[in-house]
Amino acid sequence: MALRTIYGFDHPTLREKAKRVPKVDASIIRLIDDLAETMLAAPGAGLAAPQVGVPLRVFVVKGEENQVIGLVNPELVKGEGVQVGYEGCLSYPGWVGEVARYEEVVIKGRNRHGKEVRIKSSGFTARAYQHELDHLDGILFIDRLTSLDTLRKLEDLEDEEEEEAVAVVEA
Ligand code: ZN
């Protein structure tokens, strides 16, 4: 396992449509492990391969029990309900904005063993999945803001909220 460099929004792979992975081989397993280590070190709620300069359809997300879930060729099967909240991106550190997402999602993809899996999630984790799926299509959270006025520094949001704990998905 190794830490990879997380690139910013100005890196070209962040705007590319990532390619499907033909086979979950040793290099893909290594990529999943590196993404996991890099996400946990950041720390973040998710990390997609294009963020480390690899234009492949692979990401990791921190699950509801803080376990790391790595998915290859993930797809949205179903989305229901709406959640509106702040999110940020490890490729745009320190900034957050308000984005509307499905409240619940079902995602399918292949795991590190090449086995097809379906995962149902809601809330914070469902937001992270949708954020990572977007990364695979070159879409950034700043493209999905409910309003440009909601884009702000995370520290300013924390000041505004004061007593209230601010839980922001950074992925
Ligand atoms: Zn991101």
Side-chain angles (χ1 to χ4, degrees):
M1 299 229 285
L3 282 178
R4 305 243 185 153
T5 302
I6 300 175
Y7 293 108
F9 281 180
D10 54 345
H11 192 278
T13 60
L14 271 291
R15 282 301 190 183
E16 271 176 41
K17 194 168 163 69
K19 290 183 192 69
R20 285 182 69 81
V21 172
K23 187 168 182 283
V24 183
D25 60 14
S27 73
I28 297 299
I29 293 168
R30 196 177 317 124
L31 174 62
I32 292 171
D33 289 344
D34 288 357
L35 285 170
E37 190 179 348
T38 308
M39 171 187 74
L40 294 172
L47 188 65
Q51 292 178 275
V52 298
V54 178
L56 292 175
R57 304 189 81 79
V58 178
F59 65 55
V60 294
V61 158
K62 209 191 267 181
E64 265 139 40
E65 279 122 39
N66 277 338
Q67 77 280 34
V68 177
I69 299 152
L71 284 181
V72 176
N73 299 335
E75 287 172 42
L76 180 73
V77 177
K78 198 167 129 188
E80 277 184 341
V82 179
Q83 55 171 316
V84 179
Y86 279 88
E87 69 182 63
C89 183
L90 295 175
S91 295
Y92 199 45
W95 289 86
V96 294
E98 195 183 68
V99 179
R101 299 284 190 186
Y102 291 122
E103 174 60 29
E104 285 185 13
V105 293
V106 177
I107 309 282
K108 72 167 183 179
R110 293 196 182 271
N111 66 13
R112 59 186 292 120
H113 307 294
K115 186 172 173 267
E116 186 158 317
V117 291
R118 268 174 189 253
I119 298 162
K120 191 175 176 181
S121 70
S122 61
F124 195 90
T125 310
R127 177 177 291 279
Y129 276 115
Q130 292 166 84
H131 181 106
E132 299 316 324
L133 280 170
D134 274 353
H135 272 308
L136 304 184
D137 289 326
I139 300 166
L140 305 172
F141 84 94
I142 50 168
D143 303 330
R144 293 201 185 273
L145 296 173
T146 54
S147 156
L148 199 56
D149 299 337
T150 67
L151 190 66
R152 66 199 61 201
K153 287 268 195 191
L154 178 58
E155 60 195 46
D156 293 341
L157 179 70
E158 285 166 344
D159 287 347
E160 284 166 33
E161 302 292 322
E162 282 184 78
E163 301 298 306
E164 232 174 294
V166 184
V168 177
V169 171
E170 284 187 283

